[in-house]
């Protein structure tokens, strides 16, 4: 009897963890995904946030381009965004970040692109924190389910969660951990 209780308790915990971040499954059309991409791009094009220097702004804008492509599960667009980000990071002297961006640009597999995104995010975060913002906020967001349950971060211009590690599978899984001002 005691063994059954332990087994049932273990299964209940496993079930709770596995469903913690599941969002409703949605069948978005290509038009809806494109509209989402345009909406996110519009947020960053309004100048929010604004950086103290143009090179840091370029890093952040290309990062957002890459993040949006990962949210939309678009391998080709992620490659394009990562290639531009590689150049921007090289221009600010962040070779480690440029190397991560280069790996993402070269990857033809969405899973590999997403796997390297966390390390790239840490490098981009260091660039933007060092440069400083003139105005606006950047939200450091976190998904505890990413990277096989190890968790991973990303940066966003809005509080709303759009998870780049899972796309539509768990679009809203995550939380804001920090506001960078």
């Amino acid at each position: 009897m005691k063994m059954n209780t332990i087994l049932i308790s273990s299964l209940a915990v496993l079930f709770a963890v596995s469903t913690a971040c599941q969002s409703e499954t949605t069948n978005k059309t290509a038009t809806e995904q494109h509209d989402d991409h345009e909406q996110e791009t519009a947020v960053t094009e309004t100048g929010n946030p604004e950086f103290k220097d143009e090179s840091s702004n370029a890093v952040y804008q290309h990062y957002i381009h890459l993040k949006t492509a990962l949210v939309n599960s678009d391998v080709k667009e992620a490659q394009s965004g990562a290639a531009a980000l590689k150049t921007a990071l090289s221009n600010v002297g962040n070779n480690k970040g440029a190397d991560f961006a280069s790996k993402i640009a070269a990857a033809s597999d969405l899973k590999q692109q997403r796997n390297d995104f966390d390390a790239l995010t840490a490098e981009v975060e260091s660039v933007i924190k060092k440069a400083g913002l003139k105005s606006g906020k950047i939200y450091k967001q976190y998904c505890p389910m990413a990277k096989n349950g190890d968790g991973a971060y990303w940066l966003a211009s809005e509080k709303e969660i759009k998870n780049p590690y899972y796309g539509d599978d768990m679009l809203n899984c995550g939380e804001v951990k920090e506001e960078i001002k």
Side-chain angles (χ1 to χ4, degrees):
M1 186 70 154
K2 186 174 182 180
M3 186 62 134
N4 284 343
T5 304
I6 292 171
L7 180 62
I8 291 171
S9 296
S10 297
L11 289 173
V13 168
L14 180 61
F15 178 76
V17 169
S18 69
T19 60
C21 286
Q22 287 183 351
S23 65
E24 293 179 24
T25 304
T26 59
N27 294 322
K28 286 191 174 186
T29 65
T31 303
E32 288 171 324
Q33 287 180 351
H34 180 73
D35 290 344
D36 288 348
H37 173 74
E38 284 184 350
Q39 183 179 18
E40 175 132 6
T41 302
V43 168
T44 59
E45 288 176 352
T46 62
N48 186 21
E50 283 188 56
F51 290 83
K52 293 179 181 175
D53 66 272
E54 188 53 41
S55 56
S56 298
N57 182 57
V59 167
Y60 185 71
Q61 295 306 319
H62 293 305
Y63 173 86
I64 292 298
H65 176 191
L66 170 58
K67 180 198 72 126
T68 302
L70 294 175
V71 166
N72 293 329
S73 301
D74 188 335
V75 172
K76 293 283 186 200
E77 199 62 35
Q79 289 172 324
S80 173
L85 181 55
K86 174 189 180 276
T87 301
L89 285 164
S90 293
N91 289 342
V92 297
N94 189 312
N95 295 327
K96 188 174 180 182
D99 288 345
F100 287 123
S102 181
K103 285 174 66 177
I104 293 171
S108 58
D109 176 64
L110 187 61
K111 185 176 180 178
Q112 184 60 46
Q113 288 176 324
R114 286 175 168 158
N115 189 54
D116 292 327
F117 189 64
D118 185 44
L120 176 61
T121 294
E123 294 302 315
V124 170
E125 181 182 1
S126 72
V127 168
I128 63 172
K129 282 185 172 180
K130 183 178 175 184
L133 291 173
K134 192 185 321 182
S135 66
K137 295 178 187 174
I138 296 173
Y139 299 92
K140 183 176 181 179
Q141 300 176 340
Y142 178 76
C143 173
M145 302 300 291
K147 298 190 74 135
N148 297 317
D150 290 336
Y153 291 93
W154 72 93
L155 304 172
S157 298
E158 66 286 326
K159 279 186 177 181
E160 181 185 355
I161 301 296
K162 291 185 180 179
N163 189 323
Y165 295 101
Y166 289 106
D168 280 343
D169 290 339
M170 291 196 286
L171 185 62
N172 304 113
C173 178
E175 63 182 307
V176 173
K177 287 292 194 174
E178 180 183 348
E179 289 184 12
I180 302 169
K181 299 177 187 181

